[in-house]
Amino acid sequence: MLQTHEVDVCIVGGGPAGLLLGLLLVKQGLQVLVLEQHQDFSREYRGEVLMPRFAKLFDQLNLLSYMETFPHTRLDTFQLRTAKRIVSRIPMSDISKEYPYALWMPQPIFLGALYQKARAFETFEFW
């Protein structure tokens, strides 16, 4: 017999967007279920650098100082490289005066941090 499980929101995918959305929704008091096909967060990703606009977003959500407690590196310069040389260097301060850096954080750490924050809420489930 098929069991039912009622929640306010079911999110398919426990990647960066799914976990952040889940966290934001449980903070609003909703019952959230995040479904993820992988057993852990150690898998291949497209990128691991959070540009200044993400630092600003996380600051606005009161998550930046929390995220910075996890292993990361602040990058203050963007470098464009070819196989043989650096073509250009752009200071992050040219991109954002308010947040003149990007955060390099391996995504398994990033996802683990979001998961830890969300699972502190009784209304959050992760399958």
Side-chain angles (χ1 to χ4, degrees):
M1 173 179 252
L2 181 65
Q3 284 188 300
T4 61
H5 187 76
E6 290 194 29
V7 295
D8 296 314
V9 178
C10 178
I11 300 167
V12 178
L19 283 174
L20 182 57
L21 176 60
L23 174 58
L24 294 175
L25 293 173
V26 298
K27 288 176 93 175
Q28 296 300 310
L30 295 173
Q31 179 75 32
V32 175
L33 170 62
V34 176
L35 301 175
E36 172 56 45
Q37 71 177 350
H38 294 92
Q39 296 297 315
D40 60 31
F41 298 127
S42 297
R43 52 191 188 262
E44 182 97 12
Y45 292 97
R46 293 185 185 143
E48 298 188 333
V49 177
L50 302 171
M51 297 303 283
R53 66 183 172 159
F54 289 100
K56 181 177 182 176
L57 171 68
F58 276 76
D59 199 15
Q60 291 170 335
L61 297 172
N62 295 317
L63 290 171
L64 184 59
S65 60
Y66 167 76
M67 295 304 289
E68 288 182 329
T69 65
F70 292 87
H72 70 282
T73 301
R74 279 191 178 203
L75 306 172
D76 61 3
T77 304
F78 173 79
Q79 295 181 359
L80 180 60
R81 297 174 173 253
T82 65
K84 296 183 180 185
R85 65 183 183 94
I86 295 173
V87 176
S88 179
R89 290 181 186 199
I90 302 168
M92 288 293 179
S93 60
D94 286 357
I95 297 170
S96 172
K97 298 289 185 216
E98 188 178 10
Y99 298 88
Y101 58 89
L103 291 176
W104 176 80
M105 178 181 284
Q107 281 211 10
I109 293 171
F110 176 73
L111 293 176
L114 290 176
Y115 171 72
Q116 290 298 324
K117 194 72 163 175
R119 76 179 209 156
F121 292 84
E122 287 182 13
T123 58
F124 180 81
E125 295 179 80
F126 187 85
W127 293 1

